[in-house]
Amino acid sequence: MSNDPLLQPYKLKHLTLRNRIMITSHEPAYPEDGMPKGRYRAYHVERAKAGVALTMTAGSASVAQDSPPVFNNILAWKDEVVGHMKQLVDEVHDHGAAVMIQLTHLGRRTRWDKADWLPVVAPSHEREASHRAFPKRMEDWDMTRIIGDFADAAERMKMAGVDGIELEAYGHLLEQFWSPLTNDLEAPYGGSLENRLKFTFDVLGAIRKRCGPDFIVGLRYTGDQDLPGGMTKAEGMTVSQRLKDSGLVDFLNVVKGHIDTDPGLTDLIPIQGMRNAPHLDFAGEIRAATGFPTFHAAKIPDVATARHAIASGKLDMVGMTRAHMADPHLVRKIIEKREDDIRPCVGANYCLDRIYQGGLAFCLHNAATGREETMPHDIPAAVTKKRVTIVGAGPAGMEAARVAAERGHAVTVFEAADQPGGQIRLTAQDERRREMISIIAWRMAQCEAKGVDFRFNTFAEAADILATNPDEVIIATGGMPHTEVLGQGNDLVVSTWDILSGDVKPGQNVLVFDDAGDHAGLQAADKISATGARVEIVTPDRSFAPEVMAMNLVPYMRNLQHRDTTFTVTWRLMDVAREGNQLRARLGSDYGDFTRERVVDQVVVNHGTRPLDELYFELKPQSSNLGEVDYKALTNGRAQAVARNPAGTFRLFRIGDAVAARNTHAAIYDALRLVKDL
Ligand SMILES: Cc1cc2nc3c(=O)[nH]c(=O)nc-3n(C[C@H](O)[C@H](O)[C@H](O)COP(=O)(O)O)c2cc1C
Ligand code: SF4
């Protein structure tokens, strides 16, 4: 038996959890028709197979019709959920993991125009900044109805065979009762802390009455709202104690902060560049004060910190949630003493930001996550071993090399630079985004272990490729910034890459024209403004940096907003002309024949990249498939079989930005889904 603190079993009431690592509740927006079906099940089963002790399914599964999902949550108020959950629970149990579900009523944290157009309810009319709905102030029959809804949903889950449930309090209806900021009801549900807690205890009481004393019930809540006028740490401690003393709950799942704004949410769930485990000590204080089973997650991405959390007695169960999105086999690798093989979560938060945009949660650099039905986490060995030659060692090329090597092929990678990374290396030059380089470093280590032949400092020509006598050639050469977007003055502007690489020194009075709306624009603006320069970010879009998304925007804003930075939306850069030692920039509008002018000393253009595809087109006539991809086969998980040129000696493919400017996830997914079948 291992003496690793992380691998010790934990007894929660009658339930034995096989180790101390859990996945906390997180809605990846995978339900179909509000139900956890195939994709959902496969996602949790993959992690159960690999050894996680407890997976808390759903995220904010809705208990009532007037709590419509904001990001495609499970509808726990429908009876049909029982069958779907039972199938998921049974399969997870088959692999030895415990499975629970998080239930909630969102209160004001949703919108009235989402599903049945019922009014949003809360214990006051105060709206939440993030979701914008002005709520109805709850009346007596709302309380009675929702208490019943919680009990009904809990009973459905018990029927489905879950090991327990967790109620989501923070930011949602339960906490909206707790906080003086969102509860202006009279007694018995408003006023003193005791009154503000009454709704929660009524809900818990109803659940106990329905599900009995043995059913495991926990609460996920903030022990300190960290908001002026909100619930203080002292009150949070009182609440923790009261929860324990009530005898109605079996565990506390503690977070710290508030989620009513994007910055608040980002402090509660920190992203890359922010401190690791920022709220661990706080959770430890609650455990020490209550002596009650305490769970917690907030950017504990590495095994060493997780181990410390358990060994130091700060937590009973440590949540490694995004870490499991990045690598579902994390626990197995700990057990097998292969911690170095764990694909690291780099805190890119692509997963979480996507669900708030209405998308499915995908991991920036694990394209199999959420696609377990079609994409393998363990790459199967190929029957026929081949010679695979890859050009470019950015994310697409490195993923292609890793997957090809896992298949057992002999792999050669050409790279013009002296090290791998491509665009990611540029991104990671920023100290705040340094974690990104692990996307490359992990792949490099995996490739080296499999004997991939890297040829750095080599600008590969067609002859170099042919000299490797390849069966398959994959062009992953990426792209170069495209700045030629102006009527006049293209020669007077620089690209964001010029700024990020340090090739061009930032000016003093700079216009950043950003119509790509991705990280490069803001990252350049951040770097320029840090020198004390004046920066104006101009975009023709309705909002700036739409591709960066909500939580990723927060660190940029924290840097930019207090510096000399202006944000100008709905204007497009038309021309730039020299004027003495300055530049005159003319802005135009898509909305009409309007113009404005700016005089600056530097213009930076962010307009994405254009593919570096010369080598591809040179090789194309010599390939057997003439570069063609069978999209039906690609998307249906079948091997490529296009044959167009009998004289061709190799097949040729192009992936990532060498095809068209997209993002890191697209590049990695291109590589995985093509190469897994080569
Ligand atoms: C895609 C996604 C959805 C989430 N949804 C929920 C949710 O519905 N309820 C909840 O309590 N936490 C939710 N979380 C927060 C996680 O449970 C966890 O607290 C957070 O990811 C921090 O832990 P980590 O750093 O180990 O990922 C979500 C997280 C992610 C990544
Ligand atoms: S997208 Fe980023 S934060 Fe989310 S799991 Fe993947 S690496 Fe981690």
Side-chain angles (χ1 to χ4, degrees):
M1 169 104 183
S2 165
N3 56 9
D4 185 340
L6 280 175
L7 299 180
Q8 302 313 306
Y10 179 67
K11 200 138 171 51
L12 179 68
K13 228 169 173 168
H14 51 269
L15 180 69
T16 302
L17 299 169
R18 58 183 164 182
N19 58 57
R20 302 304 185 97
I21 299 175
M22 72 179 287
I23 295 172
T24 57
S25 177
H26 62 295
E27 181 47 72
Y30 299 158
E32 295 153 67
D33 311 316
M35 296 297 136
K37 297 187 183 173
R39 183 193 291 266
Y40 215 105
R41 219 168 37 243
Y43 173 80
H44 283 285
V45 168
E46 184 79 35
R47 285 141 184 89
K49 269 188 207 163
V52 76
L54 164 65
T55 188
M56 183 70 73
T57 59
S60 318
S62 165
V63 300
Q65 212 170 345
D66 64 344
S67 174
V70 277
F71 41 76
N72 189 12
N73 308 72
I74 293 174
L75 303 178
W77 53 269
K78 291 193 171 181
D79 288 338
E80 65 189 269
V81 77
V82 176
H84 294 289
M85 271 309 287
K86 183 159 183 350
Q87 208 179 337
L88 184 154
V89 168
D90 289 348
E91 280 192 42
V92 170
H93 280 166
D94 285 346
H95 298 287
V99 53
M100 301 191 188
I101 187 168
Q102 182 184 70
L103 300 176
T104 199
H105 191 295
L106 290 157
R108 64 177 194 156
R109 191 175 167 76
T110 183
R111 292 183 60 88
W112 43 266
D113 57 357
K114 278 285 176 186
D116 294 306
W117 291 70
L118 294 171
V120 161
V121 295
S124 80
H125 289 298
E126 290 301 322
R127 84 170 184 186
E128 189 206 53
S130 280
H131 293 85
R132 310 173 52 80
F134 290 104
K136 167 196 170 183
R137 183 163 42 204
M138 289 168 71
E139 51 190 313
D140 47 2
W141 58 268
D142 287 315
M143 330 277 183
T144 311
R145 174 175 61 81
I146 294 172
I147 291 167
D149 287 336
F150 266 107
D152 290 345
E155 190 178 16
R156 282 183 200 105
M157 294 308 152
K158 191 178 173 196
M159 284 162 63
V162 297
D163 295 290
I165 59 167
E166 163 185 276
L167 305 185
E168 207 286 25
Y170 70 101
H172 295 195
L173 184 61
L174 296 188
E175 186 203 78
Q176 289 159 30
F177 272 88
W178 299 4
S179 173
L181 292 173
T182 44
N183 181 348
D184 58 14
L185 295 171
E186 307 280 315
Y189 288 111
S192 65
L193 179 62
E194 202 69 13
N195 288 355
R196 285 180 274 131
L197 289 176
K198 177 174 162 49
F199 184 71
T200 298
F201 286 121
D202 285 357
V203 166
L204 287 167
I207 290 173
R208 278 282 167 232
K209 211 160 155 197
R210 195 75 70 79
C211 299
D214 294 336
F215 191 53
I216 292 179
V217 179
L219 204 86
R220 192 166 204 210
Y221 69 105
T222 172
D224 178 1
Q225 270 194 314
D226 206 8
L227 258 183
M231 273 203 23
T232 60
K233 181 175 173 182
E235 280 182 316
M237 284 293 174
T238 308
V239 170
S240 308
Q241 200 61 51
R242 290 276 287 107
L243 286 166
K244 175 192 173 182
D245 294 345
S246 73
L248 295 170
V249 297
D250 302 300
F251 65 87
L252 306 175
N253 189 350
V254 181
V255 299
K256 181 172 184 284
H258 57 101
I259 58 171
D260 53 333
T261 58
D262 292 341
L265 181 64
T266 311
D267 287 334
L268 190 133
I269 304 178
I271 67 168
Q272 67 184 197
M274 298 170 79
R275 198 153 62 88
N276 279 359
H279 310 312
L280 175 59
D281 289 342
F282 176 74
E285 279 182 59
I286 291 191
R287 183 176 187 267
T290 59
F292 207 56
T294 303
F295 306 171
H296 169 70
K299 200 169 187 254
I300 302 179
D302 61 303
V303 177
T305 311
R307 191 170 281 131
H308 160 75
I310 298 296
S312 61
K314 290 183 197 296
L315 303 180
D316 296 289
M317 293 294 294
V318 59
M320 299 187 79
T321 303
R322 285 169 296 177
H324 264 95
M325 297 189 85
D327 194 335
H329 301 162
L330 186 151
V331 175
R332 192 176 77 203
K333 290 176 184 175
I334 297 175
I335 293 169
E336 292 173 357
K337 301 200 183 312
R338 291 169 50 217
E339 286 175 27
D340 288 348
D341 281 338
I342 294 172
R343 182 185 320 220
C345 170
V346 299
N349 219 49
Y350 187 64
C351 48
L352 196 52
D353 268 337
R354 271 182 58 89
I355 63 169
Y356 281 103
Q357 301 253 107
L360 276 64
F362 290 131
C363 172
L364 188 70
H365 82 122
N366 187 345
T369 284
R371 297 190 182 100
E372 279 78 8
E373 290 175 301
T374 56
M375 294 293 132
H377 284 284
D378 279 331
I379 309 293
V383 179
T384 313
K385 307 296 179 209
K386 300 179 182 171
R387 277 180 303 280
V388 178
T389 299
I390 297 165
V391 188
M398 290 300 291
E399 175 73 348
R402 178 189 79 85
V403 178
E406 292 276 355
R407 294 206 27 88
H409 300 317
V411 185
T412 306
V413 180
F414 289 97
E415 167 59 47
D418 60 356
Q419 43 190 340
Q423 259 189 74
I424 288 193
R425 191 157 288 283
L426 206 58
T427 299
Q429 282 189 15
D430 180 348
E431 183 52 29
R432 188 182 72 72
R433 306 200 68 207
R434 193 173 36 83
E435 288 168 69
M436 292 291 278
I437 205 62
S438 300
I439 293 174
I440 300 300
W442 177 75
R443 286 180 170 75
M444 191 65 195
Q446 296 290 305
C447 285
E448 280 175 340
K450 296 268 176 208
V452 173
D453 174 15
F454 282 94
R455 308 210 187 149
F456 292 110
N457 296 307
T458 309
F459 191 88
E461 311 271 353
D464 300 317
I465 310 297
L466 298 176
T468 62
N469 199 15
D471 300 303
E472 316 277 6
V473 175
I474 299 172
I475 304 295
T477 39
M480 285 301 277
H482 177 63
T483 57
E484 307 221 335
V485 295
L486 307 179
Q488 279 176 4
N490 284 316
D491 55 323
L492 299 176
V493 308
V494 301
S495 75
T496 46
W497 287 26
D498 292 327
I499 298 292
L500 296 178
S501 63
D503 289 348
V504 170
K505 210 170 144 266
Q508 282 303 303
N509 183 13
V510 182
L511 189 150
V512 176
F513 176 59
D514 181 12
D515 67 350
D518 55 12
H519 278 274
L522 287 190
Q523 214 172 319
D526 189 7
K527 184 170 177 187
I528 297 166
S529 67
T531 65
R534 195 185 164 276
V535 177
E536 180 177 8
I537 302 170
V538 176
T539 174
D541 293 322
R542 275 177 283 137
S543 65
F544 62 96
E547 308 295 333
V548 170
M549 302 191 281
M551 292 169 74
N552 266 284
L553 189 64
V554 171
Y556 288 118
M557 292 307 288
R558 284 184 171 157
N559 283 350
L560 292 171
Q561 218 171 22
H562 73 96
R563 296 185 192 145
D564 193 0
T565 316
T566 323
F567 304 92
T568 303
V569 294
T570 70
W571 289 90
R572 180 183 291 284
L573 180 64
M574 308 303 286
D575 307 300
V576 176
R578 194 175 290 290
E579 188 168 285
N581 59 357
Q582 301 282 303
L583 298 172
R584 180 171 291 274
R586 189 171 64 88
L587 307 183
S589 163
D590 296 346
Y591 295 88
D593 193 13
F594 317 126
T595 56
R596 284 187 182 174
E597 290 196 335
R598 303 282 193 270
V599 176
V600 294
D601 63 11
Q602 188 174 57
V603 174
V604 181
V605 171
N606 186 40
H607 183 75
T609 60
R610 284 280 161 95
L612 275 172
D613 52 14
E614 280 170 25
L615 183 59
Y616 168 80
F617 283 107
E618 202 181 331
L619 289 167
K620 185 174 163 176
Q622 301 169 64
S623 65
S624 60
N625 63 331
L626 299 179
E628 185 175 328
V629 182
D630 176 347
Y631 281 170
K632 280 213 174 71
L634 186 74
T635 53
N636 289 329
R638 285 183 281 110
Q640 293 294 310
V642 179
R644 294 271 176 256
N645 172 21
T649 55
F650 59 90
R651 294 196 298 180
L652 178 67
F653 300 101
R654 211 165 32 131
I655 56 173
D657 284 3
V659 181
R662 285 166 292 160
N663 67 11
T664 305
H665 183 78
I668 285 173
Y669 187 29
D670 271 7
L672 173 64
R673 76 172 154 179
L674 174 76
V675 182
K676 77 177 174 48
D677 294 316
L678 287 187

